[in-house]
Structures are given as C-alpha cells and as structure tokens.
Amino acid sequence: MKNPSSQNKKNSATLLLWCVIGVILIGSVVWLLLPKNETADVTAQLWVEGELKQSIYLPEADDGDFTLEEYGHNVTLSIQDHAIRFLESDCPDHRCVKNGWLRRVGDQSTCLPNRVSLILVESDTVGVTLPG
C-alpha cells in the first residue's frame, strides 16, 4: 500500500517541474519575438594600438572594403548592409575574421596580434565615416 503523503509530494514535484519548464519555454519564445536593436543607432569604433582612430556611423555608412595600411597593419575591414567585420588579416589564427558581422550595440571583435579592435556602441554624437 502506497503512502498518500509520498504520492502528494511526487505529484507536487512533477507539477513544479512542469511549471519551471513552462516558464522557461514562454520566456524563450518572448525573447525570440522581441525586436532586436540591429542597427538602430550604432557607431563602430575602430581602435588601433589602444587609440580610437575612426568612428563609423553604420546606418549611413556606404558598403565597401577598406584597409588599415595607413596605420601600419595588413588588415581589411568590410561594411555591408549596416554591419562591419574583419574581412582579412595577416594574423596567424584569423579569429577576428571568424567572428563575422558585427551589427548590434555591444558587439566587438579584436585582432590581438595586430592590436586592432572594432567595438559597436550606441550613437550619441554625429558619426564620422571612413573616406571612400
């Protein structure tokens, strides 16, 4: 004969588990459906050897590729559809290139051997674009 109190504890634990799973599932669906701040007002900051060299206002930036040879580095960046990325680099591991497209505030990528970083920040000033 089963003890009724142990059966109630088992049912309560099962109910609690299903409630937790339900909350996680609903939270995940809501998070996926929320609009993402893709390129609403994003500026890409280009840092070379610890110095801010350029600010690129991505919503108005022209698509294209550009090199950082003027700063003494064999690195090519690419802008396309209001996003930016490392296209090519002479670093040994190419992690910066593998990071892919940056488009949201907080996205960042760094080429450690070349000491070059791209950091996307919320735009609060008029941006400067790289010469074409």
Side-chain angles (χ1 to χ4, degrees):
M1 179 178 252
K2 291 185 178 181
N3 185 349
S5 77
S6 70
Q7 185 67 26
N8 286 341
K9 287 181 183 178
K10 183 178 177 183
N11 288 341
S12 295
T14 303
L15 179 62
L16 179 63
L17 177 64
W18 280 109
C19 287
V20 169
I21 290 171
V23 167
I24 291 171
L25 183 62
I26 290 170
S28 298
V29 168
V30 168
W31 180 80
L32 287 172
L33 294 177
L34 286 174
K36 306 292 186 267
N37 184 15
E38 293 289 319
T39 57
D41 206 19
V42 180
T43 295
Q45 293 182 336
L46 172 61
W47 292 80
V48 179
E49 297 181 12
E51 291 184 34
L52 178 62
K53 297 294 185 180
Q54 296 283 341
S55 292
I56 305 161
Y57 186 59
L58 291 178
E60 295 178 0
D62 294 329
D63 290 352
D65 303 338
F66 55 94
T67 67
L68 303 182
E69 291 174 354
E70 67 185 277
Y71 304 115
H73 297 283
N74 191 13
V75 174
T76 302
L77 302 177
S78 181
I79 296 175
Q80 183 177 340
D81 297 327
H82 313 295
I84 191 167
R85 72 179 191 136
F86 283 89
L87 182 62
E88 297 175 356
S89 177
D90 62 353
C91 63
D93 60 8
H94 300 283
R95 288 186 184 200
C96 53
V97 175
K98 293 174 186 173
N99 280 338
W101 293 101
L102 310 177
R103 65 184 76 242
R104 294 183 191 99
V105 171
D107 285 354
Q108 56 186 319
S109 184
T110 301
C111 182
L112 288 175
N114 284 306
R115 299 186 61 197
V116 175
S117 295
L118 285 171
I119 302 172
L120 272 53
V121 297
E122 189 170 348
S123 300
D124 55 0
T125 61
V126 176
V128 176
T129 58
L130 290 175

